[in-house]
Amino acid sequence: MRVLHFYKTYYPDSWGGVEQAIRQMCVGTARLGITNDVLTLTRNGGPARMEIDGHVVHRVPQDIEIASNAMSFAAIRRLAELARTADVVHYHFPWPFGDLAHFLARVKKPSVVTYHSDIVRQKTLLKLYSPLMHRFLANVDGIVATSPNYFASSDVLRRYGDKVRAIPFGLDRDTYPRPTPERLAHWRAEVGERFFLFVGVLRYYKGLHILLDALARCEYPVVIVGAGPIENELKEHARRLGLKHVRFLGAVDEQDKVALLTLCYALAFPSHLRSEAFGISLLEGAMFGKPMISSEIGTGTSYINIDGETGLVVPPSDPAAFGNAMRTLWEDPALAQAMGQRAGERYAALFTSEKMAANYAELYCDVAKKST
């Protein structure tokens, strides 16, 4: 079977959660005999065809971007070409141009879409986009919710309940590099061995202003890994609060990220809006056996992190509650260790790449059979 993924960004141009999810799908299903291609847009030039982790990435130039909706005229023609040799076309939502390209390219192959998130912020544009969105979701053969929690709380997904199935993301620990002793020693000297860690793109819905406000009331060391559109705004916020115990490291490579995940005391994940549909970096924390602090936003974050079991879940946009959760873990190392162990066990039971790949392979076969 041959599967074509289509999304606006991918490695090596972008390293976000959706890109990581697609990568894990490709690597995991390849072990089951599925050949994967990824069609994506690029603003950086470079080769039109690359091989990454055993799958081929086809890159076309991005022409314009409006309200995070990247578009490319060449992508429509390339989608039509690549779809001819695919058995299943796999879209990743939300991306309005992807919906439009599906119809303009006249894709007639079995199709599925992973529904990564509701559209939360662009309410006005959503009214304009809604007819196309519903036409697209009605047209595809299968829709994947990334957690039972998100399926239950999404008005859009419930509308298509008869063809929605929940398949949580999974990660393969073996695809992550093992940090060298030298790298671990470097970061141990830089940040110590007892700190809260945040990893992610610095976007509005990540709630890092809430974490910073919580730190105004307590002085636990926090390391923030990642870059993004509100990086300077967050640094200025930390400066205004006089925070001396927060380190902004910017983007780091995979070895450094794994070293920091290995060393950290717990994971802080303050996302406060439904745009955070799952939380790949939260799952990475679980995979590394770390206790977690997250907010209850009705999405997959509370499927990964179970309050009182794998960590603590607090109300969203509540710095005092987030700070109290940090205090609870910091002052009770035995509790933190036990929660981290249970987080690792939950990852192994529910969130491996192997389990996700088997579920997607079954979905691909089901939609392919229905169309014959």
Side-chain angles (χ1 to χ4, degrees):
M1 179 174 285
R2 191 175 202 103
V3 175
L4 171 64
H5 293 264
F6 185 39
Y7 190 58
K8 61 183 177 180
T9 53
Y10 195 60
Y11 302 121
D13 292 12
S14 180
W15 296 79
V18 175
E19 295 87 341
Q20 175 68 286
I22 296 171
R23 175 192 174 211
Q24 294 288 338
M25 290 174 199
C26 292
V27 171
T29 57
R31 296 183 179 131
L32 302 175
I34 293 172
T35 300
N36 293 276
D37 292 85
V38 177
L39 173 59
T40 189
L41 280 51
T42 180
R43 290 177 293 183
N44 302 326
R49 186 182 187 278
M50 305 174 66
E51 185 170 321
I52 297 176
D53 289 337
H55 55 277
V56 176
V57 179
H58 306 267
R59 305 162 81 231
V60 295
Q62 176 180 312
D63 294 315
I64 55 175
E65 181 174 346
I66 302 172
S68 300
N69 183 34
M71 294 176 270
S72 165
F73 298 111
I76 298 168
R77 182 178 65 253
R78 197 72 179 112
L79 175 61
E81 293 169 352
L82 292 170
R84 292 191 195 108
T85 58
D87 297 296
V88 174
V89 179
H90 190 155
Y91 299 97
H92 296 269
F93 179 99
W95 183 28
F97 175 76
D99 303 9
L100 182 63
H102 169 75
F103 293 110
L104 293 178
R106 299 180 180 178
V107 174
K108 302 300 182 185
K109 293 297 179 74
S111 54
V112 301
V113 57
T114 296
Y115 190 97
H116 292 269
S117 170
D118 292 332
I119 294 175
V120 177
R121 198 180 196 186
Q122 295 96 343
K123 297 293 187 184
T124 302
L125 290 175
L126 177 58
K127 292 178 182 178
L128 298 173
Y129 165 53
S130 187
L132 172 62
M133 176 185 75
H134 286 296
R135 185 184 172 200
F136 173 70
L137 293 174
N139 188 262
V140 296
D141 300 293
I143 302 171
V144 176
T146 57
S147 70
N149 301 43
Y150 212 88
F151 183 23
S153 62
S154 169
D155 293 336
V156 173
L157 285 176
R158 286 200 302 271
R159 179 169 172 173
Y160 300 96
D162 58 333
K163 62 177 175 182
V164 177
R165 65 178 76 181
I167 302 178
F169 292 137
L171 300 176
D172 181 353
R173 179 75 179 262
D174 290 338
T175 64
Y176 287 72
R178 298 192 181 278
T180 63
E182 293 77 16
R183 194 74 63 106
L184 287 169
H186 165 78
W187 284 114
R188 193 177 288 114
E190 282 287 317
V191 297
E193 289 189 81
R194 202 165 185 245
F195 58 91
F196 290 95
L197 176 67
F198 169 86
V199 179
V201 179
L202 307 187
R203 296 191 173 108
Y204 70 97
Y205 61 82
K206 295 292 183 180
L208 284 162
H209 62 288
I210 300 161
L211 174 60
L212 296 177
D213 287 344
L215 292 171
R217 301 172 173 87
C218 53
E219 295 191 354
Y220 305 124
V222 171
V223 173
I224 295 174
V225 169
I230 64 168
E231 182 174 359
N232 291 334
E233 178 184 325
L234 290 169
K235 288 178 177 177
E236 175 60 22
H237 189 50
R239 188 196 64 77
R240 284 197 307 269
L241 292 172
L243 302 181
K244 305 297 185 185
H245 44 291
V246 178
R247 292 282 301 273
F248 287 89
L249 298 184
V252 302
D253 66 22
E254 284 290 285
Q255 274 232 21
D256 286 327
K257 184 180 83 171
V258 172
L260 291 162
L261 282 165
T262 301
L263 293 173
C264 75
Y265 183 72
L267 211 76
F269 200 78
S271 295
H272 64 305
L273 298 173
R274 284 181 56 79
S275 301
E276 188 68 81
F278 192 78
I280 291 291
S281 60
L282 189 67
L283 184 55
E284 288 175 332
M287 182 174 69
F288 280 84
K290 303 298 179 176
M292 299 165 280
I293 304 173
S294 58
S295 299
E296 181 52 74
I297 50 177
T299 72
T301 62
S302 295
Y303 188 61
I304 299 168
N305 185 24
I306 306 300
D307 185 37
E309 180 181 331
T310 61
L312 299 171
V313 179
V314 302
S317 303
D318 190 335
F322 206 93
N324 288 337
M326 295 175 77
R327 182 176 297 106
T328 297
L329 291 183
W330 191 264
E331 294 181 355
D332 194 340
L335 175 66
Q337 183 178 15
M339 286 181 166
Q341 182 176 339
R342 289 193 291 267
E345 291 167 354
R346 185 169 175 79
Y347 154 76
L350 297 176
F351 299 114
T352 63
S353 174
E354 182 180 17
K355 187 174 183 67
M356 176 182 69
N359 287 330
Y360 269 106
E362 181 181 10
L363 173 62
Y364 295 152
C365 289
D366 287 348
V367 298
K369 285 175 185 174
K370 287 178 183 176
S371 66
T372 57

